[in-house]
């Protein structure tokens, strides 16, 4: 009997020492997030519908049924947009390349990502981006804002992170746990997914409405009499929009492609930037790489001209530094390619006409938009 107890005691000592060791080992290891995540159900969730205010001459912003706008969703999207946590080394946020002061574009020819890596395209303005949900990027390769924001995170030339890592960082972040709860009513931090990140970003982006420039007041007759075009701006406006009675007479014809409220037809065209006697000769195939049609090579989406004074440098590769250079390009008639758009033809441009056109382009600058505190960094 004694023997048995002694043996048992020894065994117990060994077992308990082993257990102790295990406990010590476990304590030394990195604390893993509990597989079950944090319970968030005690944090507030009172969704308030957010209605996007648009000027009277705008259509309503299309909002997908599976991502209704809420005040907390927009607020969360704004945090995420400005937070470098979405990049691998916490150096780059969406706002690094989409700066409010430049109408949410940036001022480098090709955008600069993590580790100062240069991208291949010029950053785009996000003014009124909620209206372009049928083809985003210069080549229209993605359909929706939700889908769009999946890309920069893992792009090695942009934020260079992985989605699983970003999800992990956000799930462990106490502030984001509460913000995702408030925006989407999730019960547990493990429900923070890329799907919800992109939904929140898209909600914030849909609020970026620019429609209070002098162009809006004068062109759409808001009755704000002090905002009417000056005579130089009006002459520029007429050069931009007017159609001569003889359609073959040389004229700028800008409004064939940049027109109406959004100042773009949102179509794809070759505006003559590169000489390409054969359609295979474009360095950047643009739309052609998306559709696979040779005829689309060298075509790019017609960009909006809203706030164009602030979005230099210009074109998909930022090749022109100033609007003067842009006008010189158009008045020269551009470079030949078999798919050069028929609306790109040489036209004479006197010094006065050039400055009139410039004056008109500057009426598209929307100071309210670039100074709106609701769009600025929340940090
Ligand atoms: C390193 C710079 C960079 C970062 C970071 C970046 N973008 Fe962009 N963004 C660009 C460039 C360049 C384009 C155009 C790319 C192209 O057409 O291939 C673009 C295009 C877009 C567009 C398309 C706009 C349109 O009219 O088609 C949206 C929307 C956008 N970015 C949102 C975001 C969001 C949201 C983030 C953060 C998750 C982000 N971007 C991060 C540089 C950047
Ligand atoms: C055939 C259609 C077409 C016509 C006509 C046209 N554009 Fe464009 N415009 C485009 C396209 C397409 C781009 C983008 C091209 C690219 O980057 O490859 C562009 C780009 C621009 C840009 C650069 C915007 C930015 O954010 O980078 C400006 C400025 C501009 N156009 C002004 C004008 C003016 C002024 C006129 C009239 C003199 C004009 N456009 C006529 C199609 C057109």
């Amino acid at each position: 009997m004694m023997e048995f107890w002694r043996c048992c005691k020894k065994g117990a000592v060994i077992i308990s020492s082993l257990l102790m060791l295990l406990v010590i080992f476990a304590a030394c290891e990195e604390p893993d997030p509990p597989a079950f995540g944090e319970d968030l159900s005690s944090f507030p969730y009172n969704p308030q519908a957010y209605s996007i205010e648009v000027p009277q001459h705008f259509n309503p912003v299309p909002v997908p049924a599976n991502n209704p706008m809420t005040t907390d969703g927009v607020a969360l999207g704004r945090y995420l947009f400005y937070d470098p946590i979405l990049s691998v080394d916490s150096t780059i946020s969406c706002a690094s390349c989409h700066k409010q002061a430049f109408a949410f574009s940036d001022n480098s020819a090709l955008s600069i990502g993590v580790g100062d890596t240069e991208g291949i395209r010029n950053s785009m303005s996000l003014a009124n981006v909620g209206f372009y949900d049928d083809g985003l990027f210069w080549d229209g390769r993605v359909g929706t804002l939700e889908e769009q924001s999946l890309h920069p995170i893992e792009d090695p030339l942009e934020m260079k992170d992985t989605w699983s890592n970003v999800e992990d960082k956000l799930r462990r972040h106490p502030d984001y746990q509460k913000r995702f709860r408030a925006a989407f009513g999730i019960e547990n931090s493990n429900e923070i997914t890329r799907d919800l990140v992109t939904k929140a970003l898209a909600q914030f982006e849909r609020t970026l409405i620019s429609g209070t420039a002098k162009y809006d007041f004068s062109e759409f007759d808001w009755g704000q009499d002090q905002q009417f075009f000056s005579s130089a701006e009006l002459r520029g406006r007429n050069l931009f929009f007017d159609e001569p009675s003889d359609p073959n007479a040389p004229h700028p014809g800008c409004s064939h492609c940049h027109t109406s409220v959004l100042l773009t037809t949102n179509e794809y065209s070759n505006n003559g930037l590169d000489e390409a006697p054969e359609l295979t000769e474009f360095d950047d195939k643009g739309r052609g790489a998306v559709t696979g049609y040779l005829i689309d090579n060298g075509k790019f989406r017609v960009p909006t001209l809203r706030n164009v004074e602030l979005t230099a440098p210009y074109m998909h590769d930022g090749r022109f530094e100033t609007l003067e250079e842009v006008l010189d390009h158009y008045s020269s008639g551009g470079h030949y390619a078999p798919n050069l758009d028929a609306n790109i033809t040489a036209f004479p441009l006197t010094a006065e006409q050039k400055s009139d056109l410039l004056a008109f382009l500057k009426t598209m600058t929307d100071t309210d938009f670039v100074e709106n505190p609701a769009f600025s960094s929340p940090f």
Side-chain angles (χ1 to χ4, degrees):
M1 205 58 188
M2 280 298 279
E3 279 297 295
F4 176 76
W5 277 119
R6 206 172 293 148
C7 167
C8 260
K9 256 169 120 186
K10 251 194 200 156
V13 168
I14 292 172
I15 288 172
S16 57
S17 323
L18 275 175
L19 274 175
M20 286 270 284
L21 273 175
L22 260 176
V23 169
I24 293 170
F25 267 127
C28 291
E29 277 204 353
E30 274 280 296
D32 264 346
F36 39 84
E38 297 282 337
D39 178 10
L40 306 176
S41 54
S42 60
F43 293 119
Y45 172 54
N46 309 305
Q48 309 281 319
Y50 180 106
S51 74
I52 311 173
E53 271 180 40
V54 293
Q56 60 191 34
H57 55 299
F58 274 57
N59 289 324
V61 181
V63 173
N66 68 355
N67 190 15
M69 304 276 296
T70 63
T71 311
D72 289 309
V74 172
L76 169 61
R78 182 176 168 208
Y79 272 99
L80 292 167
F81 188 86
Y82 280 97
D83 198 337
I85 195 172
L86 299 187
S87 65
V88 69
D89 58 357
S90 294
T91 54
I92 303 274
S93 69
C94 307
S96 308
C97 303
H98 300 284
K99 296 190 170 79
Q100 186 177 13
F102 306 125
F104 293 96
S105 67
D106 68 15
N107 56 353
S108 40
L110 302 174
S111 60
I112 310 291
V114 159
D116 286 340
T117 334
E118 201 169 70
I120 56 161
R121 300 242 173 100
N122 183 242
S123 171
M124 305 178 80
S125 165
L126 303 185
N128 303 327
V129 73
F131 291 99
Y132 305 128
D133 252 11
D134 55 356
L136 292 156
F137 285 130
W138 283 103
D139 50 17
R141 67 186 180 278
V142 304
T144 65
L145 281 173
E146 283 79 358
E147 189 193 340
Q148 189 284 328
S149 48
L150 285 170
H151 294 258
I153 311 290
E154 296 198 330
D155 188 329
L157 306 177
E158 297 192 353
M159 303 167 107
K160 210 183 173 177
D161 212 332
T162 62
W163 267 110
S164 54
N165 192 42
V166 167
E167 285 168 344
D168 208 40
K169 288 187 277 186
L170 294 171
R171 284 173 187 172
R172 290 165 188 243
H173 196 298
D175 288 344
Y176 279 117
Q177 291 172 351
K178 288 178 214 154
R179 291 195 183 106
F180 275 92
R181 160 82 183 157
F184 298 109
I186 56 172
E187 305 269 323
N188 187 289
S189 60
N190 278 350
E191 293 168 56
I192 297 179
T193 57
R194 64 199 75 180
D195 178 51
L196 297 186
V197 175
T198 61
K199 281 184 167 160
L201 282 166
Q203 287 190 38
F204 172 63
E205 291 175 286
R206 292 196 171 98
T207 67
L208 302 176
I209 304 294
S210 171
T212 48
K214 191 184 218 180
Y215 170 72
D216 296 282
F217 297 124
S218 199
E219 189 68 24
F220 300 97
D221 196 12
W222 276 34
Q224 313 214 0
D225 14 66
Q226 73 280 24
Q227 292 278 3
F228 285 134
F229 293 137
S230 69
S231 42
E233 289 162 354
L234 193 59
R235 287 195 301 272
R237 185 234 167 258
N238 292 340
L239 282 167
F240 191 94
F241 280 105
D242 277 2
E243 300 300 331
S245 48
D246 171 7
N248 293 322
H251 69 293
C254 312
S255 63
H256 289 283
C257 301
H258 304 279
T259 188
S260 182
V261 169
L262 299 174
L263 282 157
T264 170
T265 53
N266 211 25
E267 285 166 359
Y268 301 88
S269 66
N270 172 2
N271 68 342
L273 295 177
D274 293 308
E275 181 86 23
E278 301 288 338
L279 288 167
T280 46
E281 290 173 55
F282 291 101
D283 288 339
D284 186 339
K285 293 193 178 63
R287 185 67 181 157
V290 178
T291 64
Y293 298 129
L294 212 51
I295 195 71
D296 287 336
N297 281 1
K299 289 189 186 174
F300 289 87
R301 206 168 112 226
V302 178
T304 179
L305 298 188
R306 283 199 169 268
N307 304 293
V308 73
E309 184 183 5
L310 309 175
T311 63
Y314 302 105
M315 306 298 168
H316 68 272
D317 53 5
R319 67 178 63 195
F320 299 132
E321 281 177 24
T322 62
L323 286 172
E324 284 84 346
E325 288 173 43
V326 170
L327 292 182
D328 290 341
H329 159 72
Y330 281 114
S331 75
S332 78
H335 298 284
Y336 175 75
N339 62 356
L340 174 65
D341 195 288
N343 292 301
I344 305 292
T345 49
F347 56 90
L349 193 62
T350 65
E352 198 211 17
Q353 285 174 321
K354 193 171 175 181
S355 82
D356 291 345
L357 264 171
L358 283 174
F360 172 63
L361 291 174
K362 290 178 184 174
T363 69
M364 298 163 186
T365 306
D366 183 352
T367 323
D368 293 347
F369 176 70
V370 292
E371 289 175 359
N372 188 337
F375 304 153
S376 65
S377 172
F379 293 104

